[in-house]
Amino acid sequence: MTSFKTIRARAEKRKGGAKELEKLLPAKPDLKRLAKLPDDRILAEMTKRVFCAGFAWSVIENKWPGFEEAFLHFQPAKLSFQPEDYWEGLMRDARIVRNGAKIMSVRENAAFVQAIAKEHGSFAKFLATWPSSDEIGLLDLLNKRGSRLGGNTGQMLLRFVGWDGFVTSKDVVVCLRDAGLDIAEEVKSKGDLAKVQAQFNAWAKESGLPYAHISRICALSVGENRSE
């Protein structure tokens, strides 16, 4: 396998040097900050990622104030006690995107967030204690216990709440395959995810960098994202 040092050097060359590359990296993950996120903000981010999947992100962002109002500011306990006619009314609510399956995922994920919070104090505290070396285990849990949180949606949720992990975007997968990892062009199988996890674990040990930075540098080392 290609060393991460080589991949980082390629990304630096493409982006105009080490300092320019640093400017393109996400903020360094902060577990203490993550642990303080309230459950309503976790549920809000779950909802945003679910609705953004397969849809124009800009539309969801523009309508987000309406989402906050319609979904009672994502208070899990309040949502869990809403009657059926409340959820039926959301199907006709112009403040949000009226997708029935995604609307109902909010109710299911409210219960999911509450269950995890009951076990660990809060959903964010639970996330903050899960090791980056086992992201695939966390993604599996999100997929099985949550609603519509599988695949890339789960990865993006973790990225946006500030958990330190990788995202198997198109460019990241191209980077991994170019480095010699035997995975499909679209990483979906448990076997391929295990291979990706193992490689990120190795690169994290080699570089000492956060997984989110390794993932971003991989993406910037390939593809059509040159600086010129």
Side-chain angles (χ1 to χ4, degrees):
M1 289 293 298
T2 302
S3 70
F4 190 73
K5 181 180 180 180
T6 298
I7 292 169
R8 182 170 186 168
R10 187 171 66 207
E12 289 176 354
K13 183 176 181 180
R14 291 167 60 84
K15 294 302 172 184
K19 290 184 179 180
E20 293 304 312
L21 178 63
E22 287 289 335
K23 295 176 183 178
L24 300 174
L25 300 182
K28 188 175 181 179
D30 184 340
L31 292 181
K32 290 183 179 180
R33 182 179 180 182
L34 168 60
K36 293 178 181 179
L37 280 179
D39 289 332
D40 63 283
R41 291 306 90 198
I42 294 291
L43 181 58
E45 198 59 56
M46 284 182 178
T47 303
K48 185 177 287 189
R49 293 308 119 209
V50 167
F51 274 86
C52 281
F55 210 80
W57 287 21
S58 59
V59 173
I60 304 302
E61 289 290 350
N62 290 337
K63 295 178 75 71
W64 196 248
F67 273 79
E68 289 279 353
E69 294 176 0
F71 286 107
L72 309 179
H73 299 283
F74 297 101
Q75 296 289 336
K78 285 185 178 181
L79 288 169
S80 295
F81 281 105
Q82 294 306 305
E84 288 297 328
D85 57 0
Y86 163 78
W87 297 99
E88 292 173 3
L90 289 175
M91 307 295 183
R92 303 182 296 274
D93 196 328
R95 292 175 296 177
I96 65 174
V97 173
R98 289 161 286 183
N99 180 298
K102 292 186 177 185
I103 287 171
M104 296 313 296
S105 76
V106 181
R107 180 165 70 174
E108 295 170 18
N109 284 330
F112 172 42
V113 169
Q114 283 187 294
I116 293 293
K118 185 176 181 180
E119 295 169 15
H120 299 273
S122 75
F123 200 99
K125 288 179 181 178
F126 160 72
L127 289 178
T129 61
W130 196 287
S132 297
S133 58
D134 184 30
E135 179 173 351
I136 60 172
L138 181 52
L139 291 172
D140 187 56
L141 181 144
L142 291 173
N143 182 46
K144 289 180 177 177
R145 295 186 63 177
S147 177
R148 305 181 74 89
L149 296 177
N152 186 254
T153 300
Q155 293 178 18
M156 297 308 295
L157 165 66
L158 296 176
R159 175 61 57 84
F160 275 93
V161 298
W163 190 82
D164 185 24
F166 58 78
V167 174
T168 53
S169 66
K170 182 178 179 180
D171 283 344
V172 169
V173 174
V174 169
C175 171
L176 287 163
R177 284 165 56 87
D178 180 73
L181 197 63
D182 182 21
I183 54 175
E185 292 183 4
E186 290 188 41
V187 175
K188 294 182 178 180
S189 71
K190 288 185 177 181
D192 278 356
L193 279 169
K195 291 178 183 178
V196 172
Q197 182 75 71
Q199 190 54 51
F200 268 89
N201 290 351
W203 280 340
K205 184 177 181 180
E206 175 197 338
S207 67
L209 292 173
Y211 285 64
H213 286 195
I214 296 171
S215 184
R216 181 66 172 152
I217 291 169
C218 275
L220 294 171
S221 73
V222 296
E224 299 299 326
N225 47 42
R226 296 176 182 274
S227 57
E228 59 268 24

